[in-house]
Amino acid sequence: MVPCCQGKKFYEVLKAAGVKTEATFVPEGGHGMGMYAEENLQKMVNFLKVLL
């Protein structure tokens, strides 16, 4: 997890390069702690399962 501004920029660069990527931006999520909801963790797991 990275600061939102860096995450958005990194996401756009990956997308423009044709890399399979997903991003979830949580309002007021801060630098990670707001991301540890079960729904977000499941999104990460599902994304990684597809790549493996």
Side-chain angles (χ1 to χ4, degrees):
M1 291 176 222
V2 299
C4 191
C5 58
Q6 291 176 4
K8 287 180 179 178
K9 183 169 183 162
F10 189 51
Y11 170 76
E12 292 299 328
V13 169
L14 289 173
K15 193 170 148 183
V19 176
K20 179 167 175 45
T21 185
E22 292 182 17
T24 300
F25 301 100
V26 176
E28 308 299 322
H31 186 90
M33 295 311 291
M35 294 297 297
Y36 291 110
E38 182 61 33
E39 177 185 358
N40 293 326
L41 291 173
Q42 195 59 52
K43 285 180 184 179
M44 287 185 256
V45 169
N46 291 341
F47 179 78
L48 294 172
K49 281 181 178 179
V50 169
L51 296 178
L52 300 174

